[in-house]
Amino acid sequence: EVQLVESGGGLVKPGGSLRLSCAASGITFSYMWMTWVRQAPGKGLEWVGRIKSKIDGGTTDYAAPVKGRFTISRDDSKNTLYLQMSSLKTEDTAVYYCSTLGYSVTRSYDDWGQGTLVTVSS
Amino acid sequence: DVVMTQSPDSLAVSLGERATINCKSSQSVSCSSDNKNCLAWLQQKPGQPPKVLIYWASTRESGVPDRFSGSGSGTDFTLTISSLQTEDVAVYYCQQYYNLPWTFGQGTKVEIK
């Protein structure tokens, strides 16, 4: 059974930093492209960014609102995905989900954590 | 960015009746020579993460009941629930994966009338 468990959320002041972690089990993590999606309270889903597997280059892509402030990384030896967030703004307040979300010719990838809440407030 | 617009924002349907949700993309999300469209439908129940129901616009995810179906191509897509059940109460999102950044529609809330 696939499990993705996020941690590291909490209350942070505007301008502050926070690092989220996502521990994966039940999947061959090193092969997976991993994605962060966020959801502001009572709002819809927003793609934050993704990281490819190292075998596919390990590169990252980001949504415009977070580019230059957020960094996605991975430690395949620990089966863990990270989201380093800096220069946080109130509009970054959201539940952050890590996911394997992706689509191939023959299947979709649809594993999600339960999310971790980040609140940016003074 | 590809803007995804869903309609309606919410709908209430009687048990056993049909629910139809529309999704329009600001540009074509047709992504291959074999008529595939890079469009997925996700369901999110209260307090839960989303779940993929449909991808390639019309391919049902394994385990998804066949009352859920997706159709459309280019810029216009539809999710149909043929016979609404209690467990289908949720918010439904369309999502394009034609190009980055992946974008979602604003969501359609489905309730029981």
Side-chain angles (χ1 to χ4, degrees):
Chain A
E1 182 196 359
V2 178
Q3 274 203 312
L4 300 174
V5 180
E6 301 97 338
S7 61
L11 176 62
V12 60
K13 288 182 167 48
S17 298
L18 208 58
R19 188 178 82 158
L20 307 184
S21 300
C22 171
S25 60
I27 55 172
T28 308
F29 181 76
S30 61
Y31 289 173
M32 301 303 296
W33 296 23
M34 298 298 296
T35 293
W36 287 98
V37 173
R38 68 183 180 182
Q39 186 167 36
K43 302 296 185 183
L45 302 170
E46 181 182 19
W47 183 86
V48 172
R50 74 166 185 201
I51 185 166
K52 295 182 180 179
S53 62
K54 283 194 166 54
I55 198 168
D56 289 316
T59 56
T60 51
D61 296 284
Y62 299 94
V66 308
K67 195 169 186 178
R69 300 187 299 120
F70 288 13
T71 301
I72 299 173
S73 61
R74 63 192 300 156
D75 185 338
D76 291 345
S77 69
K78 295 181 178 178
N79 287 350
T80 301
L81 175 73
Y82 301 101
L83 179 65
Q84 177 69 49
M85 304 184 292
S86 60
S87 303
L88 282 161
K89 306 175 181 180
T90 55
E91 53 263 40
D92 295 320
T93 294
V95 172
Y96 285 74
Y97 295 102
C98 71
S99 175
T100 59
L101 186 63
Y103 308 93
S104 73
V105 173
T106 55
R107 60 166 292 183
S108 71
Y109 298 84
D110 182 35
D111 306 296
W112 297 76
Q114 284 301 309
T116 187
L117 176 63
V118 173
T119 303
V120 184
S121 174
S122 54
Chain B
D1 296 5
V2 180
V3 177
M4 309 299 289
T5 304
Q6 293 180 226
S7 61
D9 289 334
S10 64
L11 75 162
V13 175
S14 300
L15 283 173
E17 295 300 304
R18 179 183 300 259
T20 301
I21 301 169
N22 299 301
C23 174
K24 190 173 185 68
S25 56
S26 61
Q27 66 183 78
S28 174
V29 296
S30 175
C31 54
S32 70
S33 58
D34 59 352
N35 285 327
K36 282 196 183 306
N37 289 272
C38 290
L39 189 285
W41 289 97
L42 293 85
Q43 174 194 63
Q44 187 177 30
K45 296 182 178 179
Q48 296 185 19
K51 166 189 167 183
V52 172
L53 297 177
I54 303 278
Y55 57 103
W56 301 124
S58 60
T59 300
R60 199 178 302 116
E61 176 67 273
S62 174
V64 171
D66 61 6
R67 63 180 179 273
F68 291 93
S69 63
S71 62
S73 66
T75 61
D76 292 282
F77 301 91
T78 299
L79 174 69
T80 301
I81 310 172
S82 61
S83 175
L84 191 74
Q85 304 300 304
T86 305
E87 59 266 33
D88 301 335
V89 169
V91 179
Y92 294 84
Y93 297 91
C94 60
Q95 180 235 328
Q96 66 81 19
Y97 48 97
Y98 174 74
N99 62 13
L100 295 178
W102 289 358
T103 47
F104 297 87
Q106 79 275 21
T108 296
K109 186 174 185 178
V110 174
E111 300 173 306
I112 304 293
K113 187 187 289 183

